[in-house]
Amino acid sequence: EDKVVQSPLSLVVHEGDTVTLNCSYEVTNFRSLLWYKQEKKAPTFLFMLTSSGIEKKSGRLSSILDKKELFSILNITATQTGDSAVYLCAVSTSYGKLTFGQGTILTVHP
Amino acid sequence: EAQVTQNPRYLITVTGKKLTVTCSQNMNHEYMSWYRQDPGLGLRQIYYSMNVEVTDKGDVPEGYKVSRKEKRNFPLILESPSPNQTSLYFCASRSEGSGGAGNEQFFGPGTRLTVL
Protein backbone atom coordinates (compact mmCIF):
# COMPACT_ATOMS: atom_id res chain seq x y z
CA GLU A 1 0.00 0.00 0.00
CA ASP A 2 1.36 3.42 -0.97
CA LYS A 3 1.98 5.71 1.99
CA VAL A 4 2.87 9.38 2.41
CA VAL A 5 3.53 10.81 5.88
CA GLN A 6 3.96 14.47 6.69
CA SER A 7 5.40 16.03 9.80
CA PRO A 8 4.74 17.96 11.84
CA LEU A 9 0.95 17.83 11.62
CA SER A 10 0.71 21.35 12.97
CA LEU A 11 3.13 24.21 13.44
CA VAL A 12 2.72 27.67 14.98
CA VAL A 13 5.40 30.29 14.36
CA HIS A 14 5.84 34.07 14.36
CA GLU A 15 6.35 36.22 11.33
CA GLY A 16 9.95 36.17 10.20
CA ASP A 17 10.64 32.62 11.37
CA THR A 18 11.92 29.94 9.00
CA VAL A 19 10.02 26.65 8.87
CA THR A 20 10.81 23.22 7.45
CA LEU A 21 8.03 20.82 6.56
CA ASN A 22 8.77 17.14 6.05
CA CYS A 23 7.32 14.51 3.76
CA SER A 24 8.37 10.86 3.68
CA TYR A 25 6.94 8.25 1.37
CA GLU A 26 6.78 4.58 0.50
CA VAL A 27 5.28 3.94 -2.92
CA THR A 28 5.65 1.52 -5.78
CA ASN A 29 6.90 2.97 -9.09
CA PHE A 30 7.59 6.53 -7.91
CA ARG A 31 7.17 9.14 -10.61
CA SER A 32 7.10 12.55 -8.92
CA LEU A 33 6.51 14.32 -5.61
CA LEU A 34 4.32 17.40 -5.46
CA TRP A 35 3.74 20.12 -2.89
CA TYR A 36 0.48 22.05 -2.66
CA LYS A 37 -0.77 24.91 -0.51
CA GLN A 38 -4.39 24.84 0.59
CA GLU A 39 -6.18 27.79 2.13
CA LYS A 40 -9.95 27.74 2.50
CA LYS A 41 -10.42 26.38 -1.00
CA ALA A 42 -8.86 24.05 -3.56
CA PRO A 43 -5.16 23.19 -3.30
CA THR A 44 -2.80 25.31 -5.37
CA PHE A 45 0.37 23.91 -6.86
CA LEU A 46 3.78 24.84 -5.45
CA PHE A 47 6.41 22.42 -6.74
CA MET A 48 6.90 19.17 -8.60
CA LEU A 49 10.10 17.22 -7.90
CA THR A 50 11.35 14.28 -9.89
CA SER A 51 15.12 14.23 -9.38
CA SER A 52 17.13 13.91 -6.19
CA GLY A 53 19.22 16.78 -4.94
CA ILE A 54 17.90 19.49 -7.26
CA GLU A 55 16.39 22.34 -5.28
CA LYS A 56 13.31 24.04 -6.64
CA LYS A 57 12.81 27.62 -5.53
CA SER A 58 10.03 30.15 -5.75
CA GLY A 59 10.51 33.33 -3.77
CA ARG A 60 10.76 32.44 -0.08
CA LEU A 61 9.76 28.81 -0.70
CA SER A 62 12.12 26.04 -1.69
CA SER A 63 11.95 22.27 -1.83
CA ILE A 64 14.27 19.35 -2.38
CA LEU A 65 13.83 15.61 -2.88
CA ASP A 66 15.97 12.72 -1.64
CA LYS A 67 14.99 9.60 -3.59
CA LYS A 68 17.45 7.41 -1.72
CA GLU A 69 16.05 8.24 1.71
CA LEU A 70 12.50 8.67 0.33
CA PHE A 71 11.71 12.11 1.66
CA SER A 72 11.28 15.71 0.70
CA ILE A 73 11.37 18.98 2.62
CA LEU A 74 9.62 22.26 2.00
CA ASN A 75 11.33 25.33 3.45
CA ILE A 76 9.69 28.68 3.96
CA THR A 77 11.96 31.54 5.01
CA ALA A 78 10.90 34.86 6.55
CA THR A 79 7.36 33.60 7.05
CA GLN A 80 4.40 35.97 6.68
CA THR A 81 0.83 35.70 7.95
CA GLY A 82 -0.21 34.98 4.36
CA ASP A 83 1.76 31.74 4.52
CA SER A 84 -0.78 30.36 7.02
CA ALA A 85 -2.34 27.37 5.28
CA VAL A 86 -2.34 23.60 5.05
CA TYR A 87 0.65 22.31 3.10
CA LEU A 88 0.05 19.06 1.28
CA CYS A 89 2.62 16.62 -0.04
CA ALA A 90 1.59 14.07 -2.69
CA VAL A 91 3.39 11.33 -4.55
CA SER A 92 2.51 10.27 -8.08
CA THR A 93 3.19 6.77 -9.36
CA SER A 94 3.77 5.66 -12.92
CA TYR A 95 0.33 4.07 -13.24
CA GLY A 96 -1.48 7.26 -12.32
CA LYS A 97 -2.20 6.94 -8.63
CA LEU A 98 -1.68 10.03 -6.51
CA THR A 99 -1.35 9.59 -2.76
CA PHE A 100 -1.51 12.57 -0.40
CA GLY A 101 -0.14 12.97 3.09
CA GLN A 102 -2.35 14.24 5.91
CA GLY A 103 -1.04 17.75 5.52
CA THR A 104 0.80 20.18 7.82
CA ILE A 105 -1.24 23.03 9.26
CA LEU A 106 0.99 26.11 9.42
CA THR A 107 -0.12 29.11 11.47
CA VAL A 108 1.97 32.27 11.31
CA HIS A 109 1.25 34.87 14.00
CA PRO A 110 2.08 38.56 13.47
CA GLU B 1 -9.60 30.86 -18.94
CA ALA B 2 -8.06 27.44 -18.22
CA GLN B 3 -10.08 25.80 -15.49
CA VAL B 4 -11.70 22.78 -13.94
CA THR B 5 -15.37 23.25 -13.10
CA GLN B 6 -17.52 21.17 -10.78
CA ASN B 7 -21.27 21.20 -10.24
CA PRO B 8 -22.95 21.50 -7.92
CA ARG B 9 -20.75 23.34 -5.43
CA TYR B 10 -22.96 22.43 -2.50
CA LEU B 11 -25.43 19.58 -2.19
CA ILE B 12 -27.54 18.26 0.66
CA THR B 13 -29.31 15.00 -0.07
CA VAL B 14 -30.80 11.98 1.66
CA THR B 15 -29.56 8.43 1.98
CA GLY B 16 -30.14 6.30 -1.11
CA LYS B 17 -30.99 9.04 -3.60
CA LYS B 18 -28.71 8.70 -6.61
CA LEU B 19 -26.65 11.76 -7.48
CA THR B 20 -24.03 12.86 -9.99
CA VAL B 21 -21.34 15.47 -9.51
CA THR B 22 -20.08 16.77 -12.82
CA CYS B 23 -16.51 17.72 -13.61
CA SER B 24 -15.30 19.39 -16.77
CA GLN B 25 -11.92 20.74 -17.89
CA ASN B 26 -11.08 22.93 -20.87
CA MET B 27 -7.32 22.27 -21.03
CA ASN B 28 -7.42 19.11 -23.16
CA HIS B 29 -5.85 17.17 -20.30
CA GLU B 30 -5.53 13.41 -20.60
CA TYR B 31 -5.61 12.70 -16.86
CA MET B 32 -8.54 13.40 -14.55
CA SER B 33 -9.14 12.34 -10.98
CA TRP B 34 -11.59 12.57 -8.07
CA TYR B 35 -10.64 13.05 -4.41
CA ARG B 36 -12.48 13.35 -1.16
CA GLN B 37 -11.16 15.39 1.72
CA ASP B 38 -12.06 14.67 5.32
CA PRO B 39 -10.68 16.24 8.52
CA GLY B 40 -7.60 14.42 9.75
CA LEU B 41 -7.48 12.15 6.69
CA GLY B 42 -6.23 14.53 4.04
CA LEU B 43 -7.10 14.08 0.38
CA ARG B 44 -7.82 10.53 -0.72
CA GLN B 45 -8.10 9.47 -4.32
CA ILE B 46 -11.40 7.87 -5.33
CA TYR B 47 -10.96 7.15 -9.04
CA TYR B 48 -8.70 8.39 -11.79
CA SER B 49 -8.62 8.24 -15.56
CA MET B 50 -5.49 8.29 -17.70
CA ASN B 51 -7.51 8.92 -20.87
CA VAL B 52 -10.90 8.44 -22.53
CA GLU B 53 -12.53 5.09 -21.68
CA VAL B 54 -9.74 4.28 -19.18
CA THR B 55 -10.57 4.46 -15.48
CA ASP B 56 -8.91 2.98 -12.40
CA LYS B 57 -9.66 2.74 -8.71
CA GLY B 58 -7.86 4.94 -6.26
CA ASP B 59 -7.66 4.31 -2.54
CA VAL B 60 -11.35 4.72 -1.63
CA PRO B 61 -13.53 3.68 -4.61
CA GLU B 62 -16.29 1.88 -2.69
CA GLY B 63 -19.71 3.44 -3.21
CA TYR B 64 -18.64 5.51 -6.22
CA LYS B 65 -18.71 5.11 -9.99
CA VAL B 66 -17.13 7.17 -12.74
CA SER B 67 -17.14 7.29 -16.51
CA ARG B 68 -14.90 8.93 -19.08
CA LYS B 69 -16.75 9.00 -22.39
CA GLU B 70 -15.24 12.30 -23.47
CA LYS B 71 -11.86 13.84 -22.72
CA ARG B 72 -13.22 16.92 -21.03
CA ASN B 73 -15.78 15.33 -18.67
CA PHE B 74 -15.37 12.99 -15.71
CA PRO B 75 -18.58 12.70 -13.68
CA LEU B 76 -18.67 11.12 -10.22
CA ILE B 77 -21.75 9.03 -9.53
CA LEU B 78 -23.08 7.97 -6.14
CA GLU B 79 -25.71 5.31 -6.87
CA SER B 80 -26.93 5.04 -3.28
CA PRO B 81 -25.31 7.72 -1.10
CA SER B 82 -24.79 7.07 2.59
CA PRO B 83 -23.93 9.46 5.45
CA ASN B 84 -20.29 8.29 5.46
CA GLN B 85 -19.96 9.84 2.01
CA THR B 86 -20.51 13.29 3.48
CA SER B 87 -17.32 15.04 2.48
CA LEU B 88 -15.63 17.72 0.40
CA TYR B 89 -14.98 16.43 -3.12
CA PHE B 90 -12.39 17.72 -5.55
CA CYS B 91 -11.97 16.96 -9.22
CA ALA B 92 -8.57 17.56 -10.81
CA SER B 93 -6.87 17.25 -14.19
CA ARG B 94 -3.39 17.38 -15.61
CA SER B 95 -1.60 16.84 -18.89
CA GLU B 96 0.67 13.84 -19.02
CA GLY B 97 3.59 15.82 -20.40
CA SER B 98 6.79 14.39 -21.80
CA GLY B 99 9.29 12.29 -19.91
CA GLY B 100 6.61 10.36 -18.05
CA ALA B 101 6.64 12.50 -14.92
CA GLY B 102 3.24 14.07 -15.38
CA ASN B 103 2.65 17.72 -14.76
CA GLU B 104 1.00 20.08 -12.33
CA GLN B 105 -2.50 19.00 -11.39
CA PHE B 106 -5.26 21.62 -11.53
CA PHE B 107 -8.06 21.34 -9.01
CA GLY B 108 -11.69 22.28 -9.34
CA PRO B 109 -13.32 24.49 -6.67
CA GLY B 110 -14.75 21.57 -4.69
CA THR B 111 -18.22 20.18 -4.00
CA ARG B 112 -19.40 20.01 -0.41
CA LEU B 113 -21.77 17.06 -0.11
CA THR B 114 -23.92 16.29 2.90
CA VAL B 115 -25.86 13.02 3.02
CA LEU B 116 -28.55 12.91 5.70
PDB file of all heavy atoms in Angstrom, chain B residues 71-95:
ATOM      1  N   LYS B  71     -13.095  13.398 -23.368  1.00  0.00           N
ATOM      2  CA  LYS B  71     -11.862  13.836 -22.719  1.00  0.00           C
ATOM      3  C   LYS B  71     -12.127  14.905 -21.660  1.00  0.00           C
ATOM      4  O   LYS B  71     -11.478  14.928 -20.621  1.00  0.00           O
ATOM      5  CB  LYS B  71     -10.904  14.369 -23.774  1.00  0.00           C
ATOM      6  CG  LYS B  71      -9.448  14.378 -23.341  1.00  0.00           C
ATOM      7  CD  LYS B  71      -8.568  14.709 -24.533  1.00  0.00           C
ATOM      8  CE  LYS B  71      -7.104  14.515 -24.184  1.00  0.00           C
ATOM      9  NZ  LYS B  71      -6.228  14.824 -25.302  1.00  0.00           N
ATOM     10  N   ARG B  72     -13.059  15.792 -21.918  1.00  0.00           N
ATOM     11  CA  ARG B  72     -13.222  16.923 -21.032  1.00  0.00           C
ATOM     12  C   ARG B  72     -14.059  16.646 -19.786  1.00  0.00           C
ATOM     13  O   ARG B  72     -14.012  17.391 -18.829  1.00  0.00           O
ATOM     14  CB  ARG B  72     -13.818  18.111 -21.794  1.00  0.00           C
ATOM     15  CG  ARG B  72     -15.188  17.865 -22.379  1.00  0.00           C
ATOM     16  CD  ARG B  72     -15.675  19.075 -23.163  1.00  0.00           C
ATOM     17  NE  ARG B  72     -15.919  20.200 -22.272  1.00  0.00           N
ATOM     18  CZ  ARG B  72     -15.409  21.415 -22.448  1.00  0.00           C
ATOM     19  NH1 ARG B  72     -14.619  21.666 -23.465  1.00  0.00           N
ATOM     20  NH2 ARG B  72     -15.679  22.387 -21.615  1.00  0.00           N
ATOM     21  N   ASN B  73     -14.841  15.572 -19.774  1.00  0.00           N
ATOM     22  CA  ASN B  73     -15.782  15.335 -18.667  1.00  0.00           C
ATOM     23  C   ASN B  73     -15.468  14.070 -17.883  1.00  0.00           C
ATOM     24  O   ASN B  73     -15.122  13.026 -18.475  1.00  0.00           O
ATOM     25  CB  ASN B  73     -17.211  15.229 -19.206  1.00  0.00           C
ATOM     26  CG  ASN B  73     -17.681  16.526 -19.819  1.00  0.00           C
ATOM     27  OD1 ASN B  73     -17.369  17.601 -19.326  1.00  0.00           O
ATOM     28  ND2 ASN B  73     -18.423  16.428 -20.903  1.00  0.00           N
ATOM     29  N   PHE B  74     -15.656  14.145 -16.570  1.00  0.00           N
ATOM     30  CA  PHE B  74     -15.368  12.993 -15.708  1.00  0.00           C
ATOM     31  C   PHE B  74     -16.352  13.030 -14.539  1.00  0.00           C
ATOM     32  O   PHE B  74     -15.999  13.425 -13.427  1.00  0.00           O
ATOM     33  CB  PHE B  74     -13.920  13.075 -15.230  1.00  0.00           C
ATOM     34  CG  PHE B  74     -13.400  11.828 -14.556  1.00  0.00           C
ATOM     35  CD1 PHE B  74     -13.641  10.574 -15.079  1.00  0.00           C
ATOM     36  CD2 PHE B  74     -12.624  11.928 -13.406  1.00  0.00           C
ATOM     37  CE1 PHE B  74     -13.142   9.441 -14.468  1.00  0.00           C
ATOM     38  CE2 PHE B  74     -12.106  10.802 -12.783  1.00  0.00           C
ATOM     39  CZ  PHE B  74     -12.372   9.549 -13.316  1.00  0.00           C
ATOM     40  N   PRO B  75     -17.587  12.624 -14.754  1.00  0.00           N
ATOM     41  CA  PRO B  75     -18.582  12.703 -13.681  1.00  0.00           C
ATOM     42  C   PRO B  75     -18.366  11.655 -12.593  1.00  0.00           C
ATOM     43  O   PRO B  75     -17.917  10.537 -12.874  1.00  0.00           O
ATOM     44  CB  PRO B  75     -19.909  12.462 -14.419  1.00  0.00           C
ATOM     45  CG  PRO B  75     -19.517  11.674 -15.637  1.00  0.00           C
ATOM     46  CD  PRO B  75     -18.153  12.139 -16.020  1.00  0.00           C
ATOM     47  N   LEU B  76     -18.721  12.028 -11.376  1.00  0.00           N
ATOM     48  CA  LEU B  76     -18.673  11.124 -10.221  1.00  0.00           C
ATOM     49  C   LEU B  76     -20.107  10.772  -9.850  1.00  0.00           C
ATOM     50  O   LEU B  76     -20.923  11.663  -9.628  1.00  0.00           O
ATOM     51  CB  LEU B  76     -17.979  11.801  -9.042  1.00  0.00           C
ATOM     52  CG  LEU B  76     -17.859  10.982  -7.751  1.00  0.00           C
ATOM     53  CD1 LEU B  76     -16.862   9.843  -7.940  1.00  0.00           C
ATOM     54  CD2 LEU B  76     -17.431  11.884  -6.597  1.00  0.00           C
ATOM     55  N   ILE B  77     -20.393   9.498  -9.778  1.00  0.00           N
ATOM     56  CA  ILE B  77     -21.754   9.028  -9.532  1.00  0.00           C
ATOM     57  C   ILE B  77     -21.816   8.299  -8.204  1.00  0.00           C
ATOM     58  O   ILE B  77     -21.005   7.401  -7.939  1.00  0.00           O
ATOM     59  CB  ILE B  77     -22.200   8.077 -10.662  1.00  0.00           C
ATOM     60  CG1 ILE B  77     -22.105   8.782 -12.011  1.00  0.00           C
ATOM     61  CG2 ILE B  77     -23.631   7.574 -10.417  1.00  0.00           C
ATOM     62  CD1 ILE B  77     -21.897   7.864 -13.179  1.00  0.00           C
ATOM     63  N   LEU B  78     -22.787   8.689  -7.384  1.00  0.00           N
ATOM     64  CA  LEU B  78     -23.075   7.972  -6.142  1.00  0.00           C
ATOM     65  C   LEU B  78     -24.439   7.335  -6.329  1.00  0.00           C
ATOM     66  O   LEU B  78     -25.456   8.009  -6.323  1.00  0.00           O
ATOM     67  CB  LEU B  78     -23.073   8.921  -4.940  1.00  0.00           C
ATOM     68  CG  LEU B  78     -21.712   9.397  -4.436  1.00  0.00           C
ATOM     69  CD1 LEU B  78     -21.080  10.401  -5.403  1.00  0.00           C
ATOM     70  CD2 LEU B  78     -21.840   9.997  -3.043  1.00  0.00           C
ATOM     71  N   GLU B  79     -24.451   6.025  -6.549  1.00  0.00           N
ATOM     72  CA  GLU B  79     -25.705   5.314  -6.868  1.00  0.00           C
ATOM     73  C   GLU B  79     -26.657   5.298  -5.669  1.00  0.00           C
ATOM     74  O   GLU B  79     -27.858   5.446  -5.812  1.00  0.00           O
ATOM     75  CB  GLU B  79     -25.396   3.873  -7.280  1.00  0.00           C
ATOM     76  CG  GLU B  79     -24.601   3.746  -8.564  1.00  0.00           C
ATOM     77  CD  GLU B  79     -25.518   3.619  -9.783  1.00  0.00           C
ATOM     78  OE1 GLU B  79     -26.751   3.707  -9.631  1.00  0.00           O
ATOM     79  OE2 GLU B  79     -24.987   3.441 -10.892  1.00  0.00           O
ATOM     80  N   SER B  80     -26.101   5.105  -4.483  1.00  0.00           N
ATOM     81  CA  SER B  80     -26.927   5.045  -3.277  1.00  0.00           C
ATOM     82  C   SER B  80     -26.134   5.689  -2.136  1.00  0.00           C
ATOM     83  O   SER B  80     -25.529   4.993  -1.310  1.00  0.00           O
ATOM     84  CB  SER B  80     -27.279   3.589  -2.944  1.00  0.00           C
ATOM     85  OG  SER B  80     -28.126   3.527  -1.816  1.00  0.00           O
ATOM     86  N   PRO B  81     -26.151   7.021  -2.088  1.00  0.00           N
ATOM     87  CA  PRO B  81     -25.310   7.724  -1.104  1.00  0.00           C
ATOM     88  C   PRO B  81     -25.641   7.337   0.332  1.00  0.00           C
ATOM     89  O   PRO B  81     -26.802   7.069   0.671  1.00  0.00           O
ATOM     90  CB  PRO B  81     -25.636   9.193  -1.355  1.00  0.00           C
ATOM     91  CG  PRO B  81     -26.226   9.244  -2.718  1.00  0.00           C
ATOM     92  CD  PRO B  81     -26.917   7.935  -2.920  1.00  0.00           C
ATOM     93  N   SER B  82     -24.611   7.339   1.155  1.00  0.00           N
ATOM     94  CA  SER B  82     -24.791   7.071   2.587  1.00  0.00           C
ATOM     95  C   SER B  82     -24.119   8.188   3.379  1.00  0.00           C
ATOM     96  O   SER B  82     -23.266   8.908   2.846  1.00  0.00           O
ATOM     97  CB  SER B  82     -24.186   5.717   2.952  1.00  0.00           C
ATOM     98  OG  SER B  82     -22.797   5.741   2.702  1.00  0.00           O
ATOM     99  N   PRO B  83     -24.488   8.358   4.654  1.00  0.00           N
ATOM    100  CA  PRO B  83     -23.930   9.456   5.449  1.00  0.00           C
ATOM    101  C   PRO B  83     -22.405   9.454   5.507  1.00  0.00           C
ATOM    102  O   PRO B  83     -21.796  10.524   5.620  1.00  0.00           O
ATOM    103  CB  PRO B  83     -24.551   9.221   6.830  1.00  0.00           C
ATOM    104  CG  PRO B  83     -25.867   8.592   6.536  1.00  0.00           C
ATOM    105  CD  PRO B  83     -25.617   7.677   5.368  1.00  0.00           C
ATOM    106  N   ASN B  84     -21.757   8.294   5.398  1.00  0.00           N
ATOM    107  CA  ASN B  84     -20.287   8.293   5.465  1.00  0.00           C
ATOM    108  C   ASN B  84     -19.648   8.824   4.177  1.00  0.00           C
ATOM    109  O   ASN B  84     -18.411   8.912   4.074  1.00  0.00           O
ATOM    110  CB  ASN B  84     -19.733   6.911   5.827  1.00  0.00           C
ATOM    111  CG  ASN B  84     -20.024   5.854   4.778  1.00  0.00           C
ATOM    112  OD1 ASN B  84     -20.450   6.156   3.666  1.00  0.00           O
ATOM    113  ND2 ASN B  84     -19.772   4.593   5.123  1.00  0.00           N
ATOM    114  N   GLN B  85     -20.461   9.183   3.204  1.00  0.00           N
ATOM    115  CA  GLN B  85     -19.959   9.838   2.008  1.00  0.00           C
ATOM    116  C   GLN B  85     -20.086  11.358   2.094  1.00  0.00           C
ATOM    117  O   GLN B  85     -19.769  12.067   1.129  1.00  0.00           O
ATOM    118  CB  GLN B  85     -20.666   9.303   0.757  1.00  0.00           C
ATOM    119  CG  GLN B  85     -20.289   7.846   0.480  1.00  0.00           C
ATOM    120  CD  GLN B  85     -21.009   7.267  -0.710  1.00  0.00           C
ATOM    121  OE1 GLN B  85     -22.244   7.185  -0.731  1.00  0.00           O
ATOM    122  NE2 GLN B  85     -20.251   6.876  -1.714  1.00  0.00           N
ATOM    123  N   THR B  86     -20.529  11.844   3.226  1.00  0.00           N
ATOM    124  CA  THR B  86     -20.506  13.287   3.476  1.00  0.00           C
ATOM    125  C   THR B  86     -19.057  13.731   3.500  1.00  0.00           C
ATOM    126  O   THR B  86     -18.247  13.204   4.274  1.00  0.00           O
ATOM    127  CB  THR B  86     -21.185  13.595   4.824  1.00  0.00           C
ATOM    128  OG1 THR B  86     -22.573  13.311   4.723  1.00  0.00           O
ATOM    129  CG2 THR B  86     -20.991  15.055   5.210  1.00  0.00           C
ATOM    130  N   SER B  87     -18.721  14.670   2.630  1.00  0.00           N
ATOM    131  CA  SER B  87     -17.319  15.043   2.482  1.00  0.00           C
ATOM    132  C   SER B  87     -17.197  16.231   1.537  1.00  0.00           C
ATOM    133  O   SER B  87     -18.183  16.692   0.958  1.00  0.00           O
ATOM    134  CB  SER B  87     -16.527  13.854   1.922  1.00  0.00           C
ATOM    135  OG  SER B  87     -15.136  14.100   1.932  1.00  0.00           O
ATOM    136  N   LEU B  88     -15.972  16.708   1.391  1.00  0.00           N
ATOM    137  CA  LEU B  88     -15.633  17.722   0.397  1.00  0.00           C
ATOM    138  C   LEU B  88     -14.939  17.002  -0.757  1.00  0.00           C
ATOM    139  O   LEU B  88     -13.942  16.305  -0.552  1.00  0.00           O
ATOM    140  CB  LEU B  88     -14.710  18.771   1.014  1.00  0.00           C
ATOM    141  CG  LEU B  88     -14.203  19.897   0.104  1.00  0.00           C
ATOM    142  CD1 LEU B  88     -15.370  20.700  -0.474  1.00  0.00           C
ATOM    143  CD2 LEU B  88     -13.270  20.812   0.891  1.00  0.00           C
ATOM    144  N   TYR B  89     -15.487  17.151  -1.955  1.00  0.00           N
ATOM    145  CA  TYR B  89     -14.983  16.432  -3.120  1.00  0.00           C
ATOM    146  C   TYR B  89     -14.297  17.383  -4.089  1.00  0.00           C
ATOM    147  O   TYR B  89     -14.810  18.454  -4.395  1.00  0.00           O
ATOM    148  CB  TYR B  89     -16.136  15.730  -3.851  1.00  0.00           C
ATOM    149  CG  TYR B  89     -16.712  14.587  -3.059  1.00  0.00           C
ATOM    150  CD1 TYR B  89     -17.722  14.808  -2.124  1.00  0.00           C
ATOM    151  CD2 TYR B  89     -16.235  13.285  -3.231  1.00  0.00           C
ATOM    152  CE1 TYR B  89     -18.244  13.755  -1.381  1.00  0.00           C
ATOM    153  CE2 TYR B  89     -16.755  12.233  -2.495  1.00  0.00           C
ATOM    154  CZ  TYR B  89     -17.751  12.471  -1.571  1.00  0.00           C
ATOM    155  OH  TYR B  89     -18.256  11.426  -0.841  1.00  0.00           O
ATOM    156  N   PHE B  90     -13.133  16.949  -4.559  1.00  0.00           N
ATOM    157  CA  PHE B  90     -12.391  17.722  -5.552  1.00  0.00           C
ATOM    158  C   PHE B  90     -12.159  16.882  -6.803  1.00  0.00           C
ATOM    159  O   PHE B  90     -11.787  15.720  -6.724  1.00  0.00           O
ATOM    160  CB  PHE B  90     -11.018  18.142  -5.021  1.00  0.00           C
ATOM    161  CG  PHE B  90     -11.058  19.222  -3.981  1.00  0.00           C
ATOM    162  CD1 PHE B  90     -10.863  18.917  -2.643  1.00  0.00           C
ATOM    163  CD2 PHE B  90     -11.285  20.545  -4.336  1.00  0.00           C
ATOM    164  CE1 PHE B  90     -10.894  19.911  -1.679  1.00  0.00           C
ATOM    165  CE2 PHE B  90     -11.324  21.545  -3.386  1.00  0.00           C
ATOM    166  CZ  PHE B  90     -11.125  21.230  -2.048  1.00  0.00           C
ATOM    167  N   CYS B  91     -12.361  17.529  -7.939  1.00  0.00           N
ATOM    168  CA  CYS B  91     -11.966  16.961  -9.221  1.00  0.00           C
ATOM    169  C   CYS B  91     -10.672  17.656  -9.640  1.00  0.00           C
ATOM    170  O   CYS B  91     -10.458  18.832  -9.296  1.00  0.00           O
ATOM    171  CB  CYS B  91     -13.070  17.215 -10.243  1.00  0.00           C
ATOM    172  SG  CYS B  91     -12.707  16.584 -11.881  1.00  0.00           S
ATOM    173  N   ALA B  92      -9.826  16.957 -10.365  1.00  0.00           N
ATOM    174  CA  ALA B  92      -8.570  17.556 -10.807  1.00  0.00           C
ATOM    175  C   ALA B  92      -8.195  17.001 -12.170  1.00  0.00           C
ATOM    176  O   ALA B  92      -8.630  15.909 -12.548  1.00  0.00           O
ATOM    177  CB  ALA B  92      -7.456  17.279  -9.794  1.00  0.00           C
ATOM    178  N   SER B  93      -7.360  17.750 -12.897  1.00  0.00           N
ATOM    179  CA  SER B  93      -6.872  17.252 -14.185  1.00  0.00           C
ATOM    180  C   SER B  93      -5.431  17.692 -14.389  1.00  0.00           C
ATOM    181  O   SER B  93      -4.965  18.650 -13.769  1.00  0.00           O
ATOM    182  CB  SER B  93      -7.756  17.771 -15.334  1.00  0.00           C
ATOM    183  OG  SER B  93      -7.503  19.144 -15.574  1.00  0.00           O
ATOM    184  N   ARG B  94      -4.740  16.983 -15.232  1.00  0.00           N
ATOM    185  CA  ARG B  94      -3.385  17.379 -15.609  1.00  0.00           C
ATOM    186  C   ARG B  94      -3.073  16.808 -16.980  1.00  0.00           C
ATOM    187  O   ARG B  94      -3.674  15.821 -17.422  1.00  0.00           O
ATOM    188  CB  ARG B  94      -2.353  16.881 -14.593  1.00  0.00           C
ATOM    189  CG  ARG B  94      -2.136  15.389 -14.612  1.00  0.00           C
ATOM    190  CD  ARG B  94      -0.902  14.969 -13.813  1.00  0.00           C
ATOM    191  NE  ARG B  94      -0.593  13.571 -14.065  1.00  0.00           N
ATOM    192  CZ  ARG B  94      -0.549  12.629 -13.126  1.00  0.00           C
ATOM    193  NH1 ARG B  94      -0.774  12.934 -11.867  1.00  0.00           N
ATOM    194  NH2 ARG B  94      -0.246  11.394 -13.446  1.00  0.00           N
ATOM    195  N   SER B  95      -2.100  17.430 -17.655  1.00  0.00           N
ATOM    196  CA  SER B  95      -1.598  16.837 -18.888  1.00  0.00           C
ATOM    197  C   SER B  95      -0.542  15.814 -18.505  1.00  0.00           C
ATOM    198  O   SER B  95       0.031  15.891 -17.419  1.00  0.00           O
ATOM    199  CB  SER B  95      -0.999  17.903 -19.802  1.00  0.00           C
ATOM    200  OG  SER B  95       0.215  18.367 -19.266  1.00  0.00           O
TER     201      SER B  95
END
